[in-house]
Amino acid sequence: MLVLRLLIALSLCFCAAVAHAECRLGDVDALPDRASVYLPMPPAVEPMPLVILLHGSTGTGAEILRDSHLADTADRHGFVVIAPDGGIAAAHGFVWNIPGVPTVTGALPPKGARDDVAYLTGLANRLVATGCVDGTRIYVTGLSGGGRMASWLGCVAARRFAAIAPVVGLRAGRPLASDRTQADPATCRPEVPMPLLAFAGDADSTNPINGGGASYWQYAQSVALQRWAMLNGCSQPYARNLSATIYEQGYARCPDGAAVAARVTRGGQHSWSVVDNEAMWTFLSRHRR
């Protein structure tokens, strides 16, 4: 059904966008099999923004597309969502390949595992090549292991993505080998500032915001925020209540508007329930690359 909807939408885009690049359906056919694509209906005449949505460890793209309800947000605001599967099979789904860091299985990514950075940047480029995606407005979000992968893309492929929004999985590079409560600065050196808005819950026992959890990911959310603020050149830390149940911590006065922030739900668990999709899209849509 998603594939059929995609073909219909791209056909409409082809007919309407006379002044823009053609939507070449042959390129869509070449997309990897394990990627769920959602286009808003009706599609916009001009090339649309793209949100790459990454599932959690042992999940699938189809599951996170369903559970996140980002398709509804896409319909309201006119952006494309693609939810691919990770490159390493695990349990009933897949995990993402972050080199040098064990997956949720406890094992390092196997030799020969798919390069997920190359895969995801290539996927974005293929969609841009259809003529229906705006290459300056490509964003990444993801849950848990997908949040870690979104963070990794911010570290190593910043020129491709305009902003990131990790969910219960914000990182700023691999953990330091000598002290896993700290981020290794050598492993996250983006070529350009990366705006980010993270989401988390303070009752998350899988990836606690104060650090801990899996033995190979021990540093706190505040450590990641501080590192990203340094990378983006932000100079003003702040904390504020947004409501009785949500507060925000972050850094302002960042060059080129590359702000760094995390919204935390009091009592929030390790799930997409801590995300305000509208707030996420409002933040992402402010940025272009």
Side-chain angles (χ1 to χ4, degrees):
M1 182 65 71
L2 283 171
V3 174
L4 178 59
R5 185 167 185 169
L6 171 63
L7 294 176
I8 294 171
L10 289 177
S11 296
L12 290 172
C13 184
F14 173 79
C15 294
V18 175
H20 303 284
E22 292 183 356
C23 297
R24 293 186 293 275
L25 298 183
D27 288 352
V28 177
D29 292 337
L31 288 174
D33 293 335
R34 298 199 313 269
S36 298
V37 183
Y38 186 88
L39 274 82
M41 292 295 285
V45 173
E46 297 183 352
M48 293 172 283
L50 170 66
V51 174
I52 300 177
L53 173 61
L54 306 179
H55 61 75
S57 297
T58 72
T60 68
E63 289 171 353
I64 192 63
L65 183 59
R66 177 197 67 206
D67 296 343
S68 70
H69 301 290
L70 268 182
D72 296 333
T73 314
D75 279 339
R76 286 191 293 273
H77 297 286
F79 60 87
V80 180
V81 183
I82 186 164
D85 290 344
I88 304 170
H92 67 278
F94 303 89
V95 295
W96 300 100
N97 179 6
I98 300 178
V101 180
T103 70
V104 73
T105 66
L108 287 168
K111 290 183 178 180
R114 186 182 74 189
D115 181 338
D116 280 333
V117 173
Y119 167 74
L120 292 168
T121 54
L123 194 57
N125 291 339
R126 290 189 187 191
L127 282 168
V128 171
T130 68
C132 289
V133 165
D134 182 347
T136 71
R137 294 185 291 168
I138 300 178
Y139 314 103
V140 189
T141 184
L143 173 71
S144 189
R148 293 192 290 273
M149 189 68 211
S151 301
W152 185 245
L153 289 170
C155 289
V156 302
R159 289 193 182 278
R160 175 67 281 181
F161 305 106
I164 60 174
V167 178
V168 299
L170 175 65
R171 300 298 180 199
R174 295 194 292 260
L176 194 64
S178 60
D179 182 2
R180 295 182 187 278
T181 66
Q182 300 298 316
D184 182 352
T187 62
C188 187
R189 293 180 174 177
E191 295 178 330
V192 291
M194 175 54 65
L196 74 87
L197 176 62
F199 293 85
D202 67 6
D204 183 345
S205 59
T206 302
N207 185 25
I209 62 171
N210 293 321
S215 61
Y216 45 85
W217 285 116
Q218 291 285 297
Y219 62 82
Q221 177 175 269
S222 60
V223 170
L225 285 173
Q226 185 177 36
R227 176 61 183 160
W228 279 110
M230 183 181 301
L231 289 166
N232 286 4
C234 305
S235 60
Q236 181 179 331
Y238 70 87
R240 62 185 179 184
N241 285 314
L242 299 181
S243 69
T245 58
I246 299 172
Y247 65 92
E248 182 175 292
Q249 297 173 309
Y251 293 81
R253 293 185 181 172
C254 310
D256 301 319
V260 173
R263 293 193 175 189
V264 180
T265 299
R266 294 180 173 92
Q269 303 290 326
H270 191 75
S271 73
W272 196 269
S273 63
V274 301
V275 180
D276 179 337
N277 284 359
E278 290 293 322
M280 175 187 284
W281 175 246
T282 297
F283 173 81
L284 294 175
S285 64
R286 291 202 297 261
H287 301 284
R288 290 175 179 260
R289 185 63 75 198

